[in-house]
Amino acid sequence: MEPAADAPAGDLPARVHDLARRLPKVELHVHLEGTITPERLRSLAAKHGHPLDPAALETIGPGTSFGSFLAAFLERMRVLLDPDDWCAVLDDFLSAQCGQNVPYTESYVTFYGALLGGYVLADVLREMAAVEQHWHARGCALRLVMDAPRQFGNDVALQMFRLAAADPTGLLVGVGIGGDELVEPAENFAGAYAFARDAGLHRTAHAGEHGGPASVRAAVDVLGVERIGHGVGAARDAHLLRHLRDRGVAVDVCPGSNLATGAWDPAAGPHPVRSFVEQGVRIDVGSDDPAIFGTNLSDEWANLMLRDGFTPHECFDLTLDALDAAFLDDGGRARLRAHFDAELEDLREEAAALEEALHAAATP
């Protein structure tokens, strides 16, 4: 691992960000399309002669509508037209993950173009698997989750889930639904999720991002998901939080994304991540669409300490707990936990000093 960056002893935010960067992490909620940087987006658009909406190159900040985010995301989907495009984006992303000490990632992908005949998915996956093996050998493994847009309905979701089940490489380990949850309720996707369950695919769903507790409960009780993406709407229902805890359903928390899209308004109170933890709900931390929101996973962890009041050692516990939310087999999980334990042990002395400094700074 890289040594700690030199930061003045009194520069607490810089010290926190440095510790967050070196903290071993898994990322379970990030969309590969949402990692496409403006530079890569320009390059792919030029390659295919695609006229690019300049707004898609801008970082989306607080106060932007969810529709503006979807427009920026769709621009990125439109330039992914062949295996080389997908591989270039994946290579960029895994390089960045290695720089943030993220040994394992599960990334959403929306291979809708395969249904339109734009590319043969098996060919794309085989070439992506070669890129993944290159980075896996360098300590950054990745698996994929097929993400079906809710607005296209159950039939399209079922087609996409069938493509996931037919993956010849083993990269696709799960399925989910995303997009605007207010357009199609979770109950409408029961058929597609029944297929996924029978095919042995892991299951997740975006819910409670802009919808309320009922949206989260339906994802759990009707679709049988193992993880909830965002889940902000669950925080105001104590019974539902206990239900998530008792069912062992993890929540992917993405505060930077929630702030940008208006799913969380700081004026109404703190982000519910602390409520989830206090109620015993397992969480993992995600950057969601980092190139669109101008964030990254390390910044999200740093903000847990600087904004939400989590101590460095609480973050150590949370990053270990997140391993249990990953779609890993028992052997893979045990190996990753051993790796995390060793790296965290090396960071504990520094974390203790930083914890003391943060406490002192907060004490009048």
Side-chain angles (χ1 to χ4, degrees), residues 37 61 63 88 144 160 247 249 261 271 304 309 317 335:
T37 64
L144 300 175
M160 295 180 77
R247 288 283 293 265
V249 176
T261 65
H271 191 276
L304 289 186
D317 293 339
R335 288 189 294 273

Side-chain angles (χ1 to χ4, degrees), residues 55-75:
L57 301 170
E58 302 297 324
T59 297
I60 288 180
T64 307
S65 71
F66 189 65
S68 297
F69 155 69
L70 288 178
F73 188 88
L74 288 172
E75 279 291 82

Side-chain angles (χ1 to χ4, degrees), residues 21 31 42 66 83 96 99 110 112 157 171 208 213 266 292-293 300 311 340 364:
R21 179 182 60 83
H31 295 261
R42 288 191 191 94
F66 189 65
T110 304
Y112 184 60
L171 278 182
I292 298 176
F293 299 130
E300 296 292 348
T311 69
F340 275 40

Side-chain angles (χ1 to χ4, degrees), residues 30-302:
V30 59
H31 295 261
L32 187 59
E33 298 89 342
T35 72
I36 300 175
T37 64
E39 295 76 18
R40 179 63 69 183
L41 182 57
R42 288 191 191 94
S43 173
L44 293 176
K47 171 185 172 181
H48 297 295
H50 174 69
L52 194 60
D53 181 355
L57 301 170
E58 302 297 324
T59 297
I60 288 180
T64 307
S65 71
F66 189 65
S68 297
F69 155 69
L70 288 178
F73 188 88
L74 288 172
E75 279 291 82
R76 285 161 167 81
M77 283 182 61
R78 293 188 185 106
V79 299
L80 294 166
L81 300 179
D82 61 43
D84 287 345
D85 301 339
W86 285 100
C87 288
V89 170
L90 180 60
D91 190 61
D92 290 346
F93 176 52
L94 287 178
S95 176
Q97 294 295 81
C98 278
Q100 296 189 89
N101 197 20
V102 186
Y104 180 75
T105 300
E106 287 172 8
S107 175
Y108 287 103
V109 281
T110 304
F111 287 123
Y112 184 60
L115 297 184
L116 301 177
Y119 47 80
V120 176
L121 183 57
D123 294 341
V124 170
L125 288 169
R126 288 189 184 97
E127 296 201 26
M128 290 179 75
V131 175
E132 193 277 338
Q133 289 167 12
H134 168 85
W135 287 106
H136 196 148
R138 288 154 179 79
C140 288
L142 170 133
R143 291 296 179 265
L144 300 175
V145 176
M146 179 74 88
D147 189 43
R150 282 184 186 243
Q151 60 267 30
F152 295 158
N154 180 78
D155 290 346
V156 167
L158 179 57
Q159 292 179 62
M160 295 180 77
F161 292 2
R162 283 176 170 160
L163 288 175
D167 171 24
T169 69
L171 278 182
L172 277 160
V173 295
V175 298
I177 50 174
D180 188 349
E181 68 185 295
L182 302 180
V183 172
E184 288 280 347
E187 293 88 343
N188 291 1
F189 296 89
Y193 273 80
F195 166 82
R197 180 196 62 226
D198 293 343
L201 292 164
H202 291 284
R203 300 168 307 285
T204 181
H206 289 59
E209 183 177 11
H210 294 278
S215 177
V216 176
R217 184 174 291 278
V220 175
D221 293 344
V222 177
L223 304 184
V225 301
E226 300 156 78
R227 289 202 308 258
I228 290 289
H230 299 289
V232 176
R236 56 182 183 265
D237 187 329
H239 185 266
L240 176 57
L241 291 179
R242 291 192 293 272
H243 188 50
L244 294 175
R245 178 198 64 200
D246 294 344
R247 288 283 293 265
V249 176
V251 175
D252 311 330
V253 296
C254 308
S257 166
N258 299 155
L259 178 62
T261 65
W264 163 51
D265 180 3
H271 191 276
V273 56
R274 176 64 78 176
S275 298
F276 293 140
V277 173
E278 289 178 347
Q279 292 297 320
V281 177
R282 181 181 296 117
I283 68 162
D284 59 88
V285 181
S287 61
D288 201 14
D289 299 277
I292 298 176
F293 299 130
T295 186
N296 61 54
L297 186 60
S298 297
D299 287 347
E300 296 292 348
W301 278 96

